[in-house]
Amino acid sequence: MRSRYPANTLEILLRHCYTAPICQRYTSRRPFATETRSSRPDHEAKDIAVLGGGITGLASAFYLSQRLPNARITLFESSSRLGGWLQSTKIDVGNGKVVFEQGPRSIRPNWPNGHVTLDLIRELGLEDEVLMTSKNSVAAQNRFIYYPDHLVCMPGPGSSPLKRVFDTLTQPIFKGIFPGIVADIGNPLRPPGLEDESVGSFVSRRFGPLPADNLVSALLHGIYAGDIYQLSVRAVLPSLWAYERHGNGSVILGLLHSFFEGRPLLAEQDLHVERDTSIKSTPEARMKLAIISRSSVYTFKNGIGELANKLETKLQENPNVTLRRNSRIEQLALLSESSEPKIQIVTQSNTTSPSPKSKANHYQFTHVISTISSKTLNSITQPSNSLAPFSQTPSVTVMVVNLFYANPSLLPVHGFGYLLPRSLPFSQNPERALGVIFDSDATIGQDSIPGTKVTVMLGGHWWDGWDTYPDEEEGASMAKAILGRHLGIAEEPQAVRVGLQRECIPQYTVGHGQRMKEADLLLRRFQNRLRVAGNSYTGVGLNDCVRAAKDVVMGLVNRTGTTGLEYFADGQRWIQVKKNT
């Protein structure tokens, strides 16, 4: 039986948090980086530009409008719509409607970054629109990997301890796990002078190649659509890097030491997550943390795009905010001749094809927050290539195929969905899919008619170097072939939507942290006038982007940050924090 939480469950669950241990979980914390350290705002921030109208740009503009109510804010977006990769669409199907997501489809209320998103939802008044998935739901308890020719349920709360042990011993996908654990305990600490390595190299060095290729590659297909032998372990899985040192060369021993000491490792910057005076002093704050302990994921009644739509509405209502759609940034440069340095931005209209006689628009701002891709920012910044490290962050392209079937009993198993590892035989994945989401299990309550809704994700790093991509018809055919081969689905879908998301997920390849440290120094040449935030830098998830927006704005408001990349300049420090008993 599927577990379903109604929209008002947020309010119901929050009432139970007064006594929840997690609400009093950590002690001896420092003030938060986004917390107000000074009552004196940056009065020079009079005219502020935000580049990019995705979730980071919208959140940045909103936080600016709330924290600097007298500042004039202009948001530039090259396309006709705001929201970036948050793309929710309601499709008419028969006698009802279904929601198709072409980007993120759910949000994890995890601490710390998820806590910032929850606070944004509170500020926007979206609580009543939330749809939650319980940790006891089938979607939370059943997550699969397809290998080598069948679905394998991952060990978790949905299976008995005996079954977990049995599967680990008998399923081919878990081959190498126990020898890998023994190897990790016996292997030495990483070589001196090794500053970074790929996720695949790290996991293979500690646990062996089989866990890397079979398990970890599938996990990162679902998050980054990336190649574990290219992605940086320090950027993508930094806690594993830290626990290896904490365990004197063993990740397992590092985790065990922290567990038995009751002192987990936390990144220092995460101790500074937004928790201002109003949140700390009201029951609402403690109630909010109940989400973390009582839910798996959440979304909104009309899809994840509702978050972007609400931000857009709030900004449109503010007379100090101007939204400039169809405005492509052509050039960005520092004007430092006057007593007050400014940033000049040159834009071109995207509504029609620009002609040699078309007039460019020139603007000047006291401060700029760029949330566009790092490669694009480097390409428009003058002098040419002045932010060269930003050009070295590649991105992958993903095709997203939504399918809706009238038959509600079509899936052979129920759960969140399944991922495909790099080690999967080519005969089982010639389409180069990354994974399949069982939307009708994962996000219950959005659709007005019963049925089976799934999403197939194709491409990612498998398509690196491709000049052309499948068209919509080919994408739909590929998705149906995957569902037929893996799940035995032969029926024709009632509705299909195919979208090609070009260069949608930045890849934090080996050396990402060092490159961002170098970029931080280059950004300082803009005399604290240019800052960056977004998925090119500190995280590709929705929660990461909202957190980055909050951090960069509060750094500007409180004069505690200059570039948005201070985290890299200062270096990542890990601290053991004692849990309350």
Side-chain angles (χ1 to χ4, degrees):
M1 185 176 186
R2 300 180 188 175
S3 175
R4 172 178 172 179
Y5 277 31
N8 63 355
T9 302
L10 178 61
E11 178 181 357
I12 296 171
L13 289 181
L14 292 177
R15 293 173 181 168
H16 294 286
C17 191
Y18 289 106
T19 59
I22 197 170
C23 298
Q24 300 86 28
R25 185 171 182 178
Y26 299 108
T27 60
S28 304
R29 288 178 172 169
R30 297 185 181 185
F32 293 94
T34 48
E35 182 178 291
T36 301
R37 297 180 182 178
S38 169
S39 59
R40 180 171 63 107
D42 190 338
H43 295 295
E44 296 178 352
K46 303 169 186 176
D47 295 283
I48 309 171
V50 176
L51 311 186
I55 183 60
T56 313
L58 289 170
S60 296
F62 175 76
Y63 286 133
L64 286 168
S65 70
Q66 300 300 300
R67 274 60 177 180
L68 294 173
N70 295 322
R72 293 180 293 274
I73 302 160
T74 305
L75 184 147
F76 294 91
E77 166 56 39
S78 62
S79 70
S80 60
R81 62 173 290 273
L82 301 178
W85 302 119
L86 275 63
Q87 301 178 32
S88 306
T89 304
K90 277 201 169 184
I91 304 293
D92 289 316
V93 179
N95 297 322
K97 295 178 180 291
V98 297
V99 175
F100 280 162
E101 299 279 12
Q102 282 285 299
R105 64 204 59 252
S106 59
I107 306 172
R108 286 193 175 278
N110 58 309
W111 190 86
N113 294 358
H115 187 246
V116 181
T117 305
L118 287 171
D119 188 52
L120 176 61
I121 289 171
R122 179 189 63 83
E123 289 193 64
L124 295 173
L126 277 173
E127 296 94 334
D128 291 340
E129 301 305 311
V130 170
L131 285 173
M132 296 175 58
T133 300
S134 164
K135 285 185 176 180
N136 297 321
S137 68
V138 66
Q141 296 195 357
N142 295 334
R143 294 169 185 265
F144 302 89
I145 291 178
Y146 189 90
Y147 182 86
D149 57 5
H150 59 278
L151 292 175
V152 182
C153 189
M154 293 297 98
S159 58
S160 67
L162 184 62
K163 187 177 186 305
R164 296 177 203 172
V165 173
F166 178 79
D167 286 346
T168 305
L169 291 172
T170 59
Q171 289 287 355
I173 194 170
F174 296 116
K175 187 177 180 180
I177 285 292
F178 289 123
I181 293 173
V182 174
D184 172 70
I185 294 174
N187 284 341
L189 182 63
R190 55 181 168 264
L194 181 62
E195 296 296 329
D196 196 7
E197 63 182 314
S198 71
V199 173
S201 171
F202 176 87
V203 177
S204 297
R205 177 170 59 81
R206 298 257 33 111
F207 302 97
L210 289 178
D213 291 342
N214 293 346
L215 298 172
V216 179
S217 71
L219 171 67
L220 294 189
H221 275 170
I223 301 173
Y224 287 88
D227 181 357
I228 60 170
Y229 292 99
Q230 298 295 323
L231 293 169
S232 159
V233 68
R234 293 196 69 177
V236 172
L237 298 172
S239 61
L240 292 186
W241 182 267
Y243 272 113
E244 181 189 24
R245 177 167 293 281
H246 184 60
N248 196 30
S250 169
V251 176
I252 299 297
L253 292 181
L255 290 165
L256 290 175
H257 288 163
S258 290
F259 176 78
F260 287 113
E261 292 171 357
R263 293 166 58 87
L265 283 182
L266 294 175
E268 186 178 34
Q269 73 272 11
D270 287 343
L271 301 181
H272 305 300
V273 170
E274 159 64 27
R275 193 176 288 183
D276 61 31
T277 304
S278 63
I279 294 180
K280 283 197 286 188
S281 62
T282 62
E284 182 180 9
R286 287 176 288 172
M287 289 193 299
K288 185 176 303 182
L289 292 178
I291 302 294
I292 299 174
S293 61
R294 295 176 183 268
S295 69
S296 173
V297 296
Y298 66 93
T299 183
F300 302 96
K301 294 177 183 178
N302 294 313
I304 212 75
E306 201 164 348
L307 179 60
N309 294 340
K310 187 66 172 182
L311 284 166
E312 180 180 350
T313 298
K314 287 287 188 181
L315 294 174
Q316 287 175 328
E317 293 171 350
N318 192 317
N320 286 343
V321 177
T322 301
L323 304 178
R324 296 194 179 279
R325 301 174 180 82
N326 295 308
S327 294
R328 186 178 66 255
I329 309 295
E330 296 287 335
Q331 191 178 100
L332 181 152
L334 175 68
L335 302 178
S336 56
E337 294 81 6
S338 62
S339 58
E340 182 182 21
K342 291 187 177 181
I343 297 288
Q344 177 173 275
I345 290 175
V346 180
T347 69
Q348 188 73 254
S349 174
N350 251 0
T351 54
T352 58
S353 299
S355 65
K357 296 182 179 180
S358 61
K359 184 179 178 181
N361 300 301
H362 294 72
Y363 305 90
Q364 291 185 12
F365 298 94
T366 58
H367 294 80
V368 171
I369 295 176
S370 173
T371 69
I372 59 180
S373 78
S374 61
K375 292 180 71 173
T376 301
L377 178 60
N378 177 61
S379 70
I380 63 174
T381 302
Q382 299 298 315
S384 179
N385 208 36
S386 56
L387 297 174
F390 284 166
S391 67
Q392 300 176 48
T393 302
S395 296
V396 295
T397 295
V398 176
M399 177 168 277
V400 180
V401 185
N402 309 116
L403 306 101
F404 179 81
Y405 299 85
N407 184 353
S409 304
L410 205 55
L411 295 174
V413 296
H414 290 284
F416 191 85
Y418 66 94
L419 297 169
L420 305 174
R422 64 178 286 119
S423 55
L424 190 66
F426 179 79
S427 61
Q428 290 293 330
N429 188 24
E431 298 82 7
R432 291 310 194 190
L434 301 163
V436 177
I437 307 298
F438 301 161
D439 296 299
S440 44
D441 287 341
T443 53
I444 299 173
Q446 286 183 335
D447 305 328
S448 61
I449 56 173
T452 297
K453 183 171 65 173
V454 298
T455 298
V456 179
M457 298 168 292
L458 303 159
H461 74 96
W462 293 123
W463 290 357
D464 285 350
W466 286 28
D467 296 324
T468 59
Y469 301 101
D471 59 26
E472 292 188 12
E473 183 178 351
E474 290 169 333
S477 177
M478 292 163 70
K480 288 187 283 186
I482 291 164
L483 297 178
R485 185 183 310 113
H486 295 172
L487 304 178
I489 296 177
E491 294 184 20
E492 279 297 310
Q494 198 169 355
V496 179
R497 186 166 186 249
V498 181
L500 184 68
Q501 315 301 338
R502 293 179 180 269
E503 299 188 352
C504 60
I505 306 179
Q507 302 292 288
Y508 301 163
T509 54
V510 175
H512 177 78
Q514 179 60 34
R515 291 191 293 272
M516 294 304 101
K517 185 176 181 179
E518 295 168 3
D520 173 77
L521 293 175
L522 295 173
L523 281 170
R524 293 174 191 269
R525 298 179 182 177
F526 287 81
Q527 302 182 31
N528 301 343
R529 303 292 165 165
L530 176 61
R531 293 163 167 82
V532 298
N535 65 0
S536 288
Y537 312 104
T538 55
V540 301
L542 189 151
N543 285 332
D544 303 320
C545 292
V546 174
R547 162 83 181 273
K550 188 72 171 281
D551 283 349
V552 75
V553 168
M554 297 310 293
L556 170 62
V557 171
N558 299 321
R559 302 185 182 185
T560 56
T562 57
T563 67
L565 300 179
E566 295 81 11
Y567 154 73
F568 296 100
D570 297 339
Q572 190 171 43
R573 291 184 289 270
W574 294 83
I575 299 172
Q576 279 191 282
V577 180
K578 186 176 181 179
K579 292 183 182 180
N580 280 335
T581 56

